[in-house]
Structure formats: C-alpha cells, structure tokens
Amino acid sequence: MNYSLFITGSPTASRACHTALDFAEALLSDGAHQIHGVFFYEEAVAIANALAMPPRDECNIRNEWVAFAKQHSVPLYICIAAALRRGELNEAEAKRHEVANHNLAEGFLLEGLGSLISLTSESDRMMRFK
Amino acid sequence: MSTLIYLSSSPYSSTTIKEALDLALVFGTFGQDIRLAVTGEALALLIDNQTPNARQGKHLHKLLDGLEFYDIEQIYIKQDEIPAATSLWSGVTALDSEEWLNMLNQHQYIYRF
C-alpha cells in the first residue's frame, strides 16, 4: 500500500515527529508498503531548522528524518507559508525577502500546500501525526 | 475524493485555524471536493460581529463569505452546539448527532485541526 505522512506536531513540544518516524520505519521494514512523501505543516516545520541543536546525548530527530529519507528516497516537504511564518527560509526565500541568512536544513524541500493535495490524491492512505 | 477539514481548535489561541482554512482554500483551488466541519472551540469562528484587532489575530470570520468562490459550500455544525443567544454565520448546515456521524463516514479523508 502507498502511504503518505502528514505531520503537524512540534518536534520539541510533542512526539509527533518521533512517532511518525517510528511508524515510517515500521512501514518500510518488510517491503510490503511504500511512502510517497512526508509533509510537515504547522509547528512541525520546525524540524527543518538547521540551527536547532539538541544536546549531543539526545535524539536529533531532524538528522534521523533526513537519514531515513535519503536511505529510502522519500521526499520531505516543508510547507513554505508555515515555514516563512516561523522564520525558516531557504536561500531563495532569503533573497526574495532580502534577509542575510537562511536556515532550512539540507534534505528538506519548501513546497506549497498543493504538494499536500497531490500526496493526498496519489496515496492510498494519508497518516496524520499531531 | 471528498475531504473534510474538521475544525475544533479555538480560532484565536493559535494559528491552527488560519492554517486549516489555508489548506481548505488550496483544496478548493485544486478543484477538490472539500467541506468543513466546525465544532467545539472552533465555533467561535462562526460568531457574527467579531472585531478582532491585529494583535488578537486575523479576522478569519471575514473569510467565510469567500468560501463559495472556492466551491466550499458545505460547512457543518452540530445542532446541539448552536448557542442560544448568539448569532452565527448563516451559511452553515446544522446536523443532529446521527447525521453528524453519517457525514463523517461520507468523507475519504478527514484533516483535524
């Protein structure tokens, strides 16, 4: 079955991103399912902040998601409007808004909500993590 | 594919309802069959004569009249949640508990906010 994941919970104030990764790993463990894409919205977009530095003895959920996505070729989409509202920009958006810095971590793609619509229509199941 | 945006958060305590309505409008823009359900604290969205200032939050009630332009024409509320002495936006469909459950079952996807 073809799944997509929709994550809205904060990576620090909730366990949504962690639980979603557990689910994603379990889903792909036996080869019976695929993940079409992962869309981060609302507070979950904070996962793509390259400047967030959890203590070294704690889980770095951003890096774990990026490693998982790279291993399984799963795209990680960050809602562009939600990200900009919360101070997350890639280089192109930093230029567009005329600010000196950008902080979107490598491995994440800034996309509009249209990408979520596409994931919804192209997947058998959309799993929500809040 | 019918999709329901299910609103139960307060429209003024966070940006959740704003971002939920943004999603609904994009679904509409893409020509999807999209409907809204409004319950619990989200009912405050529907109360007429709101005058929030910028610091309190975006005037989301104003968005309601524009929903039809995105072909969002079904906004459901629960019959037993209609406040007695408060005027609500007129474009809603009130459902009893059985109709509410049937309505939920009619949607392939439900996004809760």
Side-chain angles (χ1 to χ4, degrees):
Chain A
M1 192 172 281
N2 195 9
Y3 284 78
S4 285
L5 276 56
F6 178 48
I7 308 174
T8 58
S10 159
T12 52
S14 81
R15 306 301 290 174
C17 295
H18 306 69
T19 308
L21 184 55
D22 285 342
F23 176 84
E25 288 173 343
L27 200 59
L28 300 189
S29 62
D30 64 0
H33 305 289
Q34 302 85 42
I35 296 178
H36 196 47
V38 182
F39 196 93
F40 296 87
Y41 193 42
E42 294 189 85
E43 305 310 323
V45 300
I47 195 166
N49 184 350
L51 301 180
M53 298 295 170
R56 288 175 182 271
D57 61 347
E58 292 183 16
C59 159
N60 186 322
I61 191 64
R62 175 189 65 233
N63 290 349
E64 292 197 14
W65 261 114
V66 169
F68 172 85
K70 189 174 181 182
Q71 180 183 351
H72 297 285
S73 300
V74 173
L76 303 177
Y77 300 115
I78 300 291
C79 174
I80 187 169
L84 292 179
R85 175 191 288 277
R86 293 168 176 83
E88 278 182 29
L89 296 82
N90 61 9
E91 188 172 3
E93 290 302 314
K95 283 181 182 171
R96 192 163 76 87
H97 291 275
E98 300 180 346
V99 296
N101 302 304
H102 53 90
N103 59 346
L104 189 79
E106 282 190 32
F108 294 92
L109 303 166
L110 281 188
E111 292 274 345
L113 285 167
S115 294
L116 176 61
I117 313 296
S118 298
L119 288 180
T120 303
S121 61
E122 294 165 4
S123 303
D124 301 310
R125 293 283 186 276
M126 173 65 78
M127 297 297 294
R128 166 78 176 277
F129 296 87
K130 188 174 180 178
Chain B
M1 183 187 77
S2 63
T3 301
L4 183 72
I5 306 288
Y6 187 105
L7 308 178
S8 60
S9 304
S10 163
Y12 291 116
S13 66
S14 73
T15 56
T16 293
I17 296 297
K18 167 69 171 66
E19 294 185 317
L21 290 173
D22 285 346
L23 179 59
L25 297 183
V26 173
F27 265 105
T29 301
F30 278 71
Q32 303 293 308
D33 181 3
I34 182 78
R35 300 159 195 188
L36 301 179
V38 184
T39 182
E41 293 186 13
L43 273 179
L45 170 69
L46 303 175
I47 295 173
D48 286 331
N49 304 316
Q50 300 184 40
T51 54
N53 62 35
R55 188 174 296 171
Q56 289 165 332
K58 193 175 173 70
H59 198 331
L60 298 176
H61 186 84
K62 279 185 177 175
L63 284 177
L64 299 175
D65 287 333
L67 292 177
E68 63 177 308
F69 301 115
Y70 295 84
D71 293 326
I72 304 173
E73 294 175 338
Q74 292 295 338
I75 296 96
Y76 302 110
I77 63 171
K78 293 178 179 175
Q79 184 92 50
D80 59 6
E81 287 189 336
I82 298 174
T86 306
S87 171
L88 291 185
W89 183 65
S90 60
V92 296
T93 301
L95 305 178
D96 64 29
S97 56
E98 185 176 347
E99 291 170 329
W100 184 265
L101 290 175
N102 289 338
M103 178 273 293
L104 294 177
N105 283 328
Q106 287 168 9
H107 294 89
Q108 187 174 2
Y109 295 97
I110 299 178
Y111 288 96
R112 293 190 62 146
F113 291 89

